[in-house]
Amino acid sequence: MKKININIAVDTVEALSKETLVNHIYVMDDSTFNSKGQGTGHLETTCQPGQVIHWVATAIDLQTPVCIRNISFLAPHTGEEKPSHPSPATCTMSELDLLTWSGTVPYYMEPGVHYRYRLELQIGNGKLSVMYVDTLSLIYEY
Amino acid sequence: MSQEITIIVMVDVEAALKDNKLDGNIYLIDNLRTDGSEGVGTDHLTTVINGSYWSDGSQATEVITNWLTGALGSLPPTLPRNFHVERTKSINEGLLQTIKNLPARKTTAAAKANAPALLSDVVNKLTKTTFIKDPEGNTRDFGIKPLTVTGDHFEKGKDDPSEQSYLAPVITDITGEAVDKNVFFTCQLGTPVYIKDGWYWCATADTSKVGEYSYTMHITLYKLVNNVYEPVKMTHDAKIKVSTAPQRNGFTGAGMGIIPLPQA
Amino acid sequence: MATAATKKEGSWDSSSVQLNIVTFVDVQKAVAKGSTEGCAYIMDNSPNSRNQGTPHLQTVCKQGQVLNWIIYAMDMDRKPDGTWPPSVRINNIVFLDSEGNDVSMIRVMDEMKILGGPDKIRSKSTPVYYYWAGIVEGSLPVGTYKYRFVLEFDPISPSTQKTYLNLDGQSLEVRNTVVFS
């Protein structure tokens, strides 16, 4: 089964200036199952159990640092906004730089359910460097 | 995909030409101070790159490094790239306007007497564009006027020398240990002539080569001698330090596993 | 931590930041389809640009500004066997007339060129550092200028050839630059 790459392009300077990732990230994937919301902050990646998904973040200006700090899933049925895995304690860009974000879709993934996730990015080491969006999701359409 | 590294190479051109050396007249700034670069803003920079490799020892990412030069106290690099050309055009248009206004000046005897001198001054200024000698010694028409730091025509001998906007130094080569040991794979990007086709020097760094390596920047400064920008070649050393750490999976903290979807 | 809800008003002019126009391409899909339709997403870091994340990006830029075009394959990760997935390059950037059909008679960019060279770390055919850059003509009349990418795709299997496909729909909105005179 083909690996899915989820590419996150970030306008880091705008995100830092406006203090939000909303409208300043563009997320797209190469899933063969026609994901929805390509090129927006609302990407719904269509995948299947057993498939590998790989997330990568890139700064559009290439000059600023951006790293994925955490990817955590929100409870799909209860609508709870509590992420499955809390954000790690403070970490530096150099530590985050060594992390790769990929994994296999588990077999217990239920079809037709939106698994929303919180994507947390870190841009440099400043006070407002950590921001997240809750608008991305994985879905198993069979 | 990793962040690009940019190393800003600021040179006090006036002082460097006077002292005939870059030591003490160069300021190196990179964008990795928070990652541990040492000597940022001084003439002895050690850029720290986070090395990353897979468990088999092969490198996990390449890091692109750019060297961008600047002349201290000169026209800012944020101006459009064709600023010099546009300013030369605009200054010449202003001078032509002076000629156009000449008949009106002839109404008084004094203005009439002054006209030839004024005309000769205008012609002299109009034709005053520079030549540039490339590092190989070939002189060619540069087509631009020397400018002051406020974008006006700089006239040598008349204006205060500190008013001159020096051309940005040009890096013509990166050599040394880091290149010899294949840590830096440098890219040659055409002839390094300012404005016309001068871009910047860059390299891809192999981040699996853990250690500290020195490299030498070959920097050409330009000195304005009788309307010709003459190249003055100098060198300066800096270091790159590739730190060691293996890549880890963000979900598991170790190798790859399943994506932690919540269970129903 | 700044939450998703926090938003500040007002825009900001990033004149000191390089303007990059970044394209992500689903190489496998485009080559299989023989078309770039639905396979390319373009975005930039100019605060006022329109249609971000689509193939119809309209980049707001200024006369005399340097523009960089960068292209990425969506799969850029080295494979377990040590080889790299097929890549994509911009073979040419062609400015079009106002209809978007024919090649423009107006010179829009100055010093358009490819930067970068083959990356010796990888093989000769897979450069990582490879992009187009140019300067918007200083005296270009303000307005909208459509352009096309001619893209070159690596073969997706050893038995196939390189593929060349057009990508249309992008444009520049060139605004006036006021420099002191």
Side-chain angles (χ1 to χ4, degrees):
Chain A
M1 225 177 310
K2 191 186 162 292
K3 182 182 76 169
I4 298 176
N5 296 281
I6 299 182
N7 291 278
I8 305 142
V10 190
D11 189 343
T12 47
V13 175
E14 276 290 284
L16 287 173
S17 314
K18 305 269 170 66
E19 295 176 17
T20 175
L21 294 176
V22 175
N23 295 326
H24 305 127
I25 60 167
Y26 310 97
V27 191
M28 51 246 133
D29 69 40
D30 58 356
S31 164
T32 50
F33 309 112
N34 292 320
S35 300
K36 292 193 191 96
Q38 293 272 17
T40 72
H42 298 80
L43 177 69
E44 296 173 13
T45 297
T46 310
C47 58
Q48 288 186 342
Q51 208 164 10
V52 172
I53 302 183
H54 181 210
W55 284 263
V56 189
T58 308
I60 295 173
D61 67 30
L62 296 177
Q63 305 288 319
T64 42
V66 61
C67 284
I68 298 173
R69 186 187 162 95
N70 197 24
I71 294 173
S72 57
F73 286 82
L74 308 171
H77 295 295
T78 59
E80 246 186 280
E81 296 301 301
K82 204 170 143 242
S84 56
H85 290 72
S87 174
T90 49
C91 39
T92 64
M93 287 305 282
S94 354
E95 286 159 2
L96 291 176
D97 204 31
L98 295 169
L99 299 183
T100 58
W101 292 90
S102 59
T104 308
V105 178
Y107 282 93
Y108 58 77
M109 184 183 202
E110 290 178 46
V113 175
H114 276 92
Y115 287 83
R116 272 204 301 141
Y117 60 91
R118 174 169 296 179
L119 170 72
E120 215 172 282
L121 300 177
Q122 183 163 341
I123 306 169
N125 295 319
K127 209 169 97 190
L128 296 166
S129 59
V130 180
M131 290 182 262
Y132 67 79
V133 286
D134 283 345
T135 50
L136 300 159
S137 59
L138 302 182
I139 183 164
Y140 167 26
E141 274 179 19
Y142 62 116
Chain B
M1 184 61 51
S2 280
Q3 177 196 4
E4 279 189 11
I5 298 168
T6 301
I7 300 172
I8 307 277
V9 179
M10 285 299 281
V11 179
D12 186 339
V13 178
E14 198 176 325
L17 288 173
K18 190 165 154 267
D19 300 349
N20 203 25
K21 67 178 170 82
L22 288 168
D23 289 350
N25 299 317
I26 191 168
Y27 305 90
L28 303 166
I29 303 141
D30 71 21
N31 56 344
L32 295 173
R33 188 175 56 83
T34 51
D35 284 33
S37 285
E38 293 151 29
V40 178
T42 72
D43 62 357
H44 49 276
L45 173 72
T46 302
T47 293
V48 171
I49 295 180
N50 288 310
S52 56
Y53 54 87
W54 299 112
S55 47
D56 65 359
S58 66
Q59 66 161 352
T61 53
E62 296 113 358
V63 176
I64 289 161
T65 313
N66 304 303
W67 286 267
L68 299 181
T69 57
L72 218 62
S74 290
L75 286 162
T78 46
L79 287 169
R81 292 282 302 204
N82 47 7
F83 179 81
H84 278 75
V85 177
E86 295 295 320
R87 279 300 298 152
T88 299
K89 262 195 234 170
S90 161
I91 291 166
N92 282 348
E93 276 161 19
L95 289 167
L96 288 170
Q97 197 62 40
T98 325
I99 301 180
K100 213 174 152 191
N101 293 341
L102 274 179
R105 291 172 176 271
K106 285 186 183 170
T107 47
T108 69
K112 206 170 182 175
N114 202 18
L118 191 71
L119 191 63
S120 119
D121 183 45
V122 165
V123 170
N124 183 34
K125 280 185 182 163
L126 265 178
T127 53
K128 199 134 257 164
T129 50
T130 52
F131 292 83
I132 191 160
K133 200 187 268 182
D134 65 28
E136 286 77 44
N138 308 308
T139 304
R140 61 161 160 163
D141 191 356
F142 201 25
I144 62 158
K145 290 188 189 298
L147 297 180
T148 67
V149 288
T150 50
D152 293 321
H153 186 184
F154 175 80
E155 291 181 79
K156 213 177 174 186
K158 201 170 143 197
D159 293 324
D160 183 338
S162 67
E163 287 290 297
Q164 185 185 351
S165 174
Y166 286 91
L167 296 189
V170 175
I171 294 181
T172 57
D173 206 358
I174 304 276
T175 60
E177 191 188 11
V179 179
D180 297 340
K181 293 191 173 162
N182 288 341
V183 183
F184 274 148
F185 293 83
T186 60
C187 291
Q188 312 207 19
L189 303 178
T191 324
V193 175
Y194 186 74
I195 295 178
K196 299 246 163 164
D197 37 27
W199 295 83
Y200 47 85
W201 201 264
C202 76
T204 311
D206 180 344
T207 61
S208 66
K209 301 266 172 57
V210 171
E212 193 172 296
Y213 308 88
S214 69
Y215 65 90
T216 302
M217 293 171 278
H218 298 254
I219 300 173
T220 300
L221 307 182
Y222 286 97
K223 189 178 190 175
L224 189 59
V225 182
N226 299 327
N227 249 22
V228 178
Y229 283 107
E230 300 252 10
V232 181
K233 296 178 192 178
M234 296 184 186
T235 59
H236 192 76
D237 291 354
K239 282 181 193 163
I240 177 174
K241 192 156 112 188
V242 181
S243 64
T244 164
Q247 293 229 315
R248 285 185 297 125
N249 186 287
F251 289 116
T252 64
M256 206 176 74
I258 64 158
I259 298 169
L261 295 184
Q263 300 225 32
Chain C
M1 182 190 294
T3 66
T6 323
K7 194 174 165 110
K8 273 194 174 171
E9 292 305 313
S11 198
W12 176 85
D13 191 353
S14 57
S15 60
S16 61
V17 178
Q18 66 181 32
L19 205 173
N20 291 348
I21 300 170
V22 179
T23 305
F24 282 86
V25 184
D26 187 336
V27 171
Q28 296 277 355
K29 193 172 162 191
V31 172
K33 275 178 79 172
S35 158
T36 54
E37 206 189 320
C39 305
Y41 310 94
I42 318 177
M43 54 233 91
D44 67 31
N45 59 334
S46 173
N48 299 310
S49 294
R50 282 177 283 272
N51 308 327
Q52 294 270 16
T54 78
H56 306 285
L57 175 71
Q58 185 166 47
T59 297
V60 173
C61 55
K62 295 183 232 169
Q63 296 159 335
Q65 190 169 12
V66 175
L67 306 183
N68 303 290
W69 280 273
I70 293 149
I71 193 158
Y72 295 125
M74 286 173 68
D75 188 1
M76 291 182 282
D77 233 30
R78 199 179 63 150
K79 292 194 247 182
D81 66 3
T83 63
W84 300 89
S87 192
V88 59
R89 281 168 290 281
I90 300 173
N91 219 305
N92 204 358
I93 297 176
V94 183
F95 280 86
L96 305 170
D97 63 11
S98 54
E99 305 295 312
N101 298 322
D102 292 326
V103 175
S104 168
M105 291 291 123
I106 303 168
R107 188 177 159 86
V108 176
M109 301 295 294
D110 203 10
E111 299 188 29
M112 272 297 258
K113 63 159 75 173
I114 304 167
L115 296 184
D119 189 323
K120 287 177 227 162
I121 291 177
R122 297 185 177 189
S123 79
K124 273 182 284 182
S125 56
T126 55
V128 286
Y129 199 80
Y130 186 96
Y131 66 95
W132 281 72
I135 306 172
V136 179
E137 275 279 347
S139 52
L140 186 72
V142 296
T144 304
Y145 296 89
K146 294 180 181 168
Y147 65 93
R148 163 185 297 160
F149 288 139
V150 181
L151 301 180
E152 180 187 297
F153 294 83
D154 283 345
I156 48 172
S157 70
S159 58
T160 55
Q161 304 258 307
K162 280 187 177 181
T163 312
Y164 296 86
L165 297 172
N166 285 353
L167 176 59
D168 281 16
Q170 322 82 299
S171 59
L172 301 182
E173 190 202 314
V174 179
R175 294 187 180 172
N176 211 352
T177 308
V178 184
V179 280
F180 53 98
S181 58

